[in-house]
Amino acid sequence: AQARTCCDQALSLFTQVDYVSGIISVTRLLGDIESITSRSSESRYTYEKALELARKVGNKREEALCLVCLGTVEYYLDNFENARS
């Protein structure tokens, strides 16, 4: 619960100052938290949000990290076709 609270606070601050790289990183981290707590469908949605934002601003590093995270979620959901694509 503490990790989520810290991330929510960081996301709020990054959003206030429009620091897009921070928003992407924290959003991806929130997906990690959801994934670790066995909330795969929520983590997929969160990773997709981070991926969309990373692509929008051309942040290739975060885009790649989000894709790895999404592939991992699909793998754990036994959705091997989506994990490959």
Side-chain angles (χ1 to χ4, degrees):
Q2 185 65 26
R4 176 79 194 202
T5 300
C6 290
C7 286
D8 287 340
Q9 290 173 352
L11 184 59
S12 176
L13 292 169
F14 285 143
T15 301
Q16 287 175 30
V17 297
D18 198 31
Y19 182 57
V20 179
S21 291
I23 294 168
I24 297 167
S25 294
V26 172
T27 302
R28 184 174 43 79
L29 183 56
L30 286 167
D32 291 344
I33 293 167
E34 291 164 347
S35 183
I36 290 167
T37 57
S38 300
R39 294 171 28 206
S40 295
S41 61
E42 288 105 345
S43 67
R44 179 193 295 151
Y45 174 77
T46 304
Y47 289 140
E48 287 173 348
K49 283 189 346 186
L51 176 61
E52 180 182 330
L53 188 53
R55 285 180 170 163
K56 182 178 177 182
V57 298
N59 188 329
K60 297 294 186 187
R61 178 185 179 279
E62 284 293 340
E63 181 179 349
L65 290 169
C66 290
L67 287 169
V68 169
C69 292
L70 280 167
T72 302
V73 167
E74 295 297 343
Y75 172 80
Y76 284 113
L77 290 173
D78 291 331
N79 196 350
F80 298 115
E81 278 306 310
N82 283 345
R84 270 192 268 198
S85 59

